[in-house]
Amino acid sequence: MFCGALFTTGLRAQHPQPWNAPARFARPDLDSDEGGLWALMDRQERRLRRSPFVIRDHSLNNYVQDIACRLGGKHCPDIRVHLVRTPLFNASMAPNGMMQVWTGLMLRMENEAQLAAVLGHEIAHYLERHTLERLRDIKSASAFATFVGLFGAAGAIGQLATLAATFGFSRDQERAADRIGVLLMRKAGYDPAEAAKVWGNLLAESKARPDGGGASTLPMFATHPGAEERNETLATLAAEQPGGTTNATTWRERVRPFRSDWLREEIKLGQYEESVSLFTRMIESTPRDAELLAARGEVHRRHGGDRQFDLAVADFRAAEQIGHEPPEVHRGLGMIYRRRGASREARASLKHYLELAPQAPDAPMIRSYLEELGQ
Amino acid sequence: MRQLTMILSMLALAGCVAMAKVEKGERAIGDRLAVKIEGAWNQLDGPELGPAQTWTMEGLPIDQLLLYSGVKDGDLVHASGGDGKRKDFAFKANMQADEIVGMFEGMLTRDGSSFKLTRLEPSSFGGLSGFHFEYTLIRKVDNVVLTGVGWGAVSKGELFAMLYMAPRLAFFARHAADVERIAMSAKIRQSAQ
């Protein structure tokens, strides 16, 4: 296999082999293994279209689809991006052209070029027909006999197709997709240096965990090459021909209307260290963003503990000073003050919260706290 | 893969989950919680269940009633914790109502499901001052929209709670009144006997 060979013989970053995108794929014969795989993915895509987890906003969908089209070139009509509301870092590509991008990944992107790096990587899997390759690898392995025993011959193909399509690509395939993804980025005018930053950021987040990232919850870490290796490889590839756009301002403007929901979903995960690491990175990039400060403050508050409460109060107060802070800033402050027995401050903050969000689901509970705190 | 996992999990569950009838009348849940039920329920027991008692009227995964009795500080509120792959959710004795609801929210969304709190208000539970909450859960595995309701109270640093959830269409409404009567019947003893 072209890409496997490229990496098994070393990176050869200074003298990359040429790569040309294949012609558009015709729908394979339904009787073939590839046709069966496409049919299976078509069914999954029909289910996905009906899923309440899919983001249906046309503006955002068109924006991301356009980025995919810039990268996919002549394959644009065959690639369909679906944005899925799941607060983890993940994206996947099916052999029929269905791509899924999770909102946890969108939240972590700093600019358009970083998203292009991920989309380019996924499109590379599609162009190289990696899923089909994976299916054939599994079929030729001895494990196939086990599947035949379990599901019968026809059922086994279906199960293996599912396994091949969704369980993951080989590490060599991932390395190849990285390389082609960088080529696609460059061709579309994006700065390929942003690809390495995606993994660098993810690595920093993973290392923030108490176990240092040993048991990462990030699905993409399960099959992909080590983040350090990937970071280095992508940086080397980018250095071959530096330059290009990041479109950071456009990115921020286009995702801004959705970011509050994504931040809330991240907070709910309850992964204290990773969320603090993520929000701190985002705050370093835009220090006067009240929503980000509020989000980090809420993560500290939910974790609990004196030190975390101090950090939460500091973030909430900073958000308040900047202005246009979310109402939850005042609820957070009120709850901390209430717990600390600072009745006057608790009362003021909780009242402020109710003024800003009188219809909040927890308003009845907050009113009961105010009664308990007295006037 | 998800389909395969589901099939295997269901097969495993089919072999491992025991079901027993819970007759009407007053029923003890652990040492300190008792509820009165007016009709029979089904209680499930298995390695993937607990520490709550899991009851169902329609059968899993359609509806489930989770009954927590005396969850201590540091105890997980779900089974299968500690694998490091998914965040665990544990009760802390000093949690406030919104934090307890947040803990249940975390528990119910460990599989990627989506939770939306629709109401949180003060309420008595088991004769103690506690809270009542309502929520919507979109289950990741099958996209089914569930309506949920819960009650809770903390006594001597231990959590007592009851959660019920069922598909929004038909099933929740069918059992909501019974579930509320069960919640209203709850009694928490001050100490184990």
Side-chain angles (χ1 to χ4, degrees), chain A residues 87 108 142 177 182 198 301:
Chain A
R108 284 162 171 80
S142 59
V182 164
V198 171
R301 183 185 82 83

Side-chain angles (χ1 to χ4, degrees), chain A residues 124-145:
Chain A
H125 282 309
Y126 170 76
L127 298 178
E128 290 292 291
R129 293 165 124 161
H130 280 160
T131 306
L132 180 66
E133 196 178 286
R134 198 80 177 122
L135 173 68
R136 288 174 179 165
D137 280 352
I138 296 170
K139 269 171 72 179
S140 66
S142 59
F144 184 59

Side-chain angles (χ1 to χ4, degrees), chain A residues 26-351:
Chain A
R27 176 165 282 275
D29 187 344
L30 194 58
D31 292 336
S32 66
D33 54 359
E34 190 174 18
L37 198 55
W38 277 50
L40 190 78
M41 293 302 116
D42 288 345
R43 280 202 298 277
Q44 282 199 6
E45 191 166 7
R46 281 196 294 276
R47 240 188 345 254
L48 181 65
R49 287 185 198 282
R50 294 194 300 269
S51 169
F53 287 91
V54 167
I55 293 180
R56 302 189 194 283
D57 183 89
H58 289 299
S59 166
L60 185 66
N61 276 299
N62 290 342
Y63 173 56
V64 176
Q65 183 69 44
D66 284 348
I67 298 170
C69 277
R70 285 173 70 180
L71 295 157
K74 62 191 171 196
H75 290 267
C76 165
D78 305 320
I79 296 167
R80 300 166 303 282
V81 184
H82 302 276
L83 301 174
V84 182
R85 193 156 54 87
T86 302
L88 297 174
F89 185 104
N90 204 16
S92 63
M93 184 82 203
N96 67 340
M98 166 183 69
M99 188 193 293
Q100 296 186 48
V101 179
W102 291 5
T103 49
L105 185 149
M106 297 283 282
L107 175 66
R108 284 162 171 80
M109 299 298 102
E110 296 171 320
N111 53 49
E112 202 177 294
Q114 290 191 1
L115 181 67
V118 176
L119 300 189
H121 174 95
E122 295 304 324
I123 290 169
H125 282 309
Y126 170 76
L127 298 178
E128 290 292 291
R129 293 165 124 161
H130 280 160
T131 306
L132 180 66
E133 196 178 286
R134 198 80 177 122
L135 173 68
R136 288 174 179 165
D137 280 352
I138 296 170
K139 269 171 72 179
S140 66
S142 59
F144 184 59
T146 310
F147 277 84
V148 173
L150 269 173
F151 300 104
I157 292 287
Q159 293 300 337
L160 283 174
T162 308
L163 189 72
T166 59
F167 192 60
F169 300 109
S170 74
R171 293 198 166 205
D172 281 342
Q173 288 175 327
E174 295 294 356
R175 290 184 180 105
D178 275 345
R179 176 162 194 92
I180 296 166
V182 164
L183 295 175
L184 296 177
M185 275 183 87
R186 189 174 283 137
K187 202 173 163 196
Y190 291 112
D191 181 358
E194 293 300 315
K197 291 180 190 168
V198 171
W199 292 100
N201 289 339
L202 206 55
L203 185 63
E205 212 179 295
S206 176
K207 282 185 172 169
R209 286 171 60 97
D211 63 6
S216 178
T217 56
L218 298 170
M220 285 192 97
F221 274 11
T223 55
H224 286 54
E228 284 109 336
E229 175 200 319
R230 188 160 216 181
N231 202 3
E232 282 172 27
T233 305
L234 289 167
T236 308
L237 290 169
E240 289 171 11
Q241 199 178 326
T245 182
T246 62
N247 285 353
T249 308
T250 308
W251 171 255
R252 277 197 291 270
E253 285 168 2
R254 299 303 291 265
V255 301
R256 186 63 205 241
F258 309 93
R259 203 186 59 171
S260 304
D261 284 345
W262 301 346
L263 289 170
R264 261 196 292 276
E265 294 289 326
E266 172 69 26
I267 292 167
K268 287 177 182 180
L269 286 177
Q271 45 179 26
Y272 175 67
E273 292 85 2
E274 286 148 295
S275 295
V276 168
S277 166
L278 167 65
F279 294 158
T280 300
R281 171 169 66 78
M282 294 172 84
I283 290 166
E284 281 166 2
S285 169
T286 49
R288 291 192 56 76
D289 189 321
E291 193 176 52
L292 292 177
L293 287 160
R296 190 174 64 181
E298 184 63 12
V299 170
H300 284 309
R301 183 185 82 83
R302 286 186 180 219
H303 184 269
D306 266 350
R307 186 173 161 273
Q308 279 75 16
F309 283 158
D310 288 343
L311 292 168
V313 169
D315 278 342
F316 288 150
R317 288 295 183 205
E320 195 181 9
Q321 274 198 339
I322 291 165
H324 300 292
E325 72 281 11
E328 288 77 15
V329 160
H330 302 283
R331 180 186 61 191
L333 283 168
M335 299 301 278
I336 292 172
Y337 290 138
R338 177 175 174 266
R339 178 173 277 190
R340 288 180 160 175
S343 302
R344 191 171 56 83
E345 290 86 349
R347 208 163 39 236
S349 293
L350 294 177
K351 267 181 152 174

Side-chain angles (χ1 to χ4, degrees), chain A residues 47 51-53 84-86 147 151 159 162-163 166-167 209 215-217 268-271 301 303 335 338-339 361-362 364-365 368-369, chain B residues 1 3-4 7 84-87 89 92 94-99 105 112-115 117-122 130-131 138-140 143:
Chain A
R47 240 188 345 254
S51 169
F53 287 91
V84 182
R85 193 156 54 87
T86 302
F147 277 84
F151 300 104
Q159 293 300 337
T162 308
L163 189 72
T166 59
F167 192 60
R209 286 171 60 97
S216 178
T217 56
K268 287 177 182 180
L269 286 177
Q271 45 179 26
R301 183 185 82 83
H303 184 269
M335 299 301 278
R338 177 175 174 266
R339 178 173 277 190
D362 59 354
M365 198 80 209
S368 79
Y369 292 154
Chain B
M1 183 61 193
Q3 287 175 336
L4 177 62
I7 292 164
K85 297 267 163 63
R86 295 190 293 176
K87 168 78 181 163
F89 291 88
K92 292 181 200 166
N94 60 359
M95 277 178 161
Q96 303 181 69
D98 73 303
E99 293 167 319
E105 173 177 0
S113 297
S114 172
F115 178 104
L117 180 71
T118 52
R119 187 166 179 85
L120 172 60
E121 62 188 355
F131 57 91
I138 306 174
R139 211 159 46 195
K140 182 77 172 179
N143 294 332

